[in-house]
Amino acid sequence: MEGGFGAGRVLVLGVCVAGIWSAYVYQGVLQETLSTKKFGPDGLRFEHLTFLGFAQNVVCFAWSFLMLSLWSPKRQSQAPLWKFWSASISNSIGPACGILALKYISYPAQVLAKSSKMIPVMLMGAIVYGVRYTIPEYLCTLLVAGGVATFALFKSSRKSISKIASPNAPLGYTLCFINLGLDGFTNATQDSITSKYPKTSAWHIMLGMNLWGSVYMAIYMFVITNGGFEAVEFCRSHPEAFRDILLFCLCGAVGQNFIFLTISRFGALTNTTITTTRKFVSILVSALWNGNPLSFEQWTGVVMVFLGLTYQIVLKWQKRKSKGSSKLDAAASKKA
């Protein structure tokens, strides 16, 4: 972080942490509720979990349009909205797979699996591109991979399993890893767009991604399948489910606000640190509040994953610090 830690800066950071944690922890609670709860006197589950992706796209599109209209100054050289069509395909399918995984595995298992993004990234880097990683980086990956494997190999409690619609761990984890792989493509495509159009704002990216995402998910939910109509009918007959879906979407939109604020004021690394700790809090909330008790072995897996993620963050901070000191040394030598 640049600019020191004045009182105002610390206050803004505290607001960012509180905003990200509260929005996404509560969104996790709602996501787990929608995937496990039996609604109404008829005791029916909300089966169309992919509808959450469509609803999230629509709300985030409206939210980003509103933010651009109210707060963001008009900029030249913004990326054309049509440029986001390909990234939005993977950004629609990936999260849909992640949400659908909750039919087959518990919420803590899903969070852990989706926290292991470094594994496919390092595998692709080493095998396909010949990237050489340091021993500490491999240690981080081993801790995360070992933690996910430990969690998956030991059975969840009967109470946790009874909440899952169709328990099937291999299918659930496969959907999570598909989500991770598609996220990698989405991020790479977005980076390519922003490198060509560096003045593109975060709100503009959010607008373009959710515009196309809304179109794709609408075609899938209302044209290819009848899932959208069935989900709307379910919400009409179960208002409590509609309320949870709306709050789920609003939490995602508000969370994006604080993520953009964190990155703009403190950098991507600070944001990564906050969101990583948020995932651990989400697992705690799921275990303690939503009644998903974990075994000792599963808690060991959770600790291994977050030790690996924490070590990775520490390594990134050290790299950043060393780069900063080397720049100061270079500047000092030039003056001399």
Side-chain angles (χ1 to χ4, degrees):
M1 292 183 223
E2 296 175 4
F5 285 92
R9 194 167 170 78
V10 171
L11 179 61
V12 172
L13 179 60
V15 170
C16 289
V17 172
I20 291 172
W21 277 28
S22 57
Y24 287 111
V25 169
Y26 187 47
Q27 187 184 48
V29 170
L30 292 166
Q31 189 178 40
E32 186 172 3
T33 298
L34 286 163
S35 64
T36 60
K37 185 176 178 178
K38 294 179 181 179
F39 291 92
D42 47 3
L44 293 177
R45 291 179 183 268
F46 181 70
E47 297 289 344
H48 302 284
L49 294 180
T50 49
F51 183 78
L52 296 179
F54 167 69
Q56 180 81 90
N57 281 325
V58 172
V59 170
C60 285
F61 170 74
W63 187 276
S64 57
F65 182 82
L66 179 64
M67 292 297 104
L68 281 169
S69 301
L70 293 178
W71 304 110
S72 183
K74 292 183 179 180
R75 301 182 184 182
Q76 301 298 323
S77 304
Q78 296 268 26
L81 291 179
W82 67 265
K83 285 281 186 181
F84 297 97
W85 74 268
S86 59
S88 296
I89 294 176
S90 55
N91 195 49
S92 299
I93 299 173
C97 289
I99 292 174
L100 196 59
L102 289 172
K103 279 191 174 185
Y104 309 107
I105 57 176
S106 67
Y107 179 72
Q110 184 227 40
V111 173
L112 272 193
K114 290 176 69 175
S115 298
S116 58
K117 187 179 292 188
M118 67 173 73
I119 298 174
V121 170
M122 288 188 70
L123 283 175
M124 289 291 289
I127 297 171
V128 179
Y129 300 108
V131 178
R132 292 185 178 182
Y133 297 99
T134 64
I135 292 177
E137 287 173 326
Y138 279 116
L139 179 60
C140 292
T141 306
L142 285 173
L143 278 169
V144 172
V148 173
T150 301
F151 190 97
L153 288 172
F154 288 93
K155 286 187 177 181
S156 300
S157 67
R158 288 183 180 179
K159 186 177 180 181
S160 297
I161 294 174
S162 67
K163 292 184 176 183
I164 302 171
S166 305
N168 187 332
L171 178 56
Y173 282 108
T174 298
L175 287 169
C176 287
F177 290 126
I178 291 173
N179 185 181
L180 289 179
L182 290 171
D183 278 354
F185 176 80
T186 301
N187 293 337
T189 308
Q190 284 182 341
D191 289 343
S192 174
I193 293 171
T194 53
S195 65
K196 292 179 183 177
Y197 301 92
K199 293 184 179 180
T200 302
S201 68
W203 290 119
H204 191 80
I205 294 172
M206 189 176 177
L207 183 76
M209 295 293 291
N210 286 289
L211 168 64
W212 286 102
S214 299
V215 172
Y216 296 146
M217 292 303 292
I219 292 172
Y220 174 74
M221 296 298 301
F222 294 96
V223 179
I224 298 176
T225 72
N226 290 322
F229 296 108
E230 293 173 3
V232 170
E233 178 59 27
F234 187 94
C235 291
R236 190 190 66 79
S237 56
H238 299 85
E240 190 179 353
F242 172 75
R243 184 205 65 190
D244 287 346
I245 292 171
L246 180 61
L247 288 173
F248 170 86
C249 296
L250 289 174
C251 282
V254 171
Q256 284 291 324
N257 268 343
F258 288 107
I259 283 178
F260 292 157
L261 179 61
T262 303
I263 293 174
S264 65
R265 295 291 186 93
F266 305 99
L269 187 52
T270 301
N271 181 66
T272 300
T273 306
I274 296 170
T275 53
T276 298
T277 52
R278 188 278 304 171
K279 290 174 183 176
F280 187 78
V281 173
S282 291
I283 291 177
L284 285 177
V285 170
S286 178
L288 301 176
W289 185 2
N290 281 348
N292 285 320
L294 304 181
S295 65
F296 173 78
E297 293 84 1
Q298 287 181 316
W299 275 118
T300 302
V302 171
V303 171
M304 286 175 66
V305 168
F306 284 97
L307 278 176
L309 294 175
T310 302
Y311 190 23
Q312 182 193 42
I313 291 170
V314 170
L315 292 174
K316 287 181 178 179
W317 279 112
Q318 288 176 343
K319 278 186 180 180
R320 181 171 173 171
K321 192 174 180 181
S322 63
K323 283 182 181 178
S325 59
S326 62
K327 285 180 181 179
L328 288 174
D329 292 341
S333 63
K334 284 181 182 179
K335 288 181 180 180

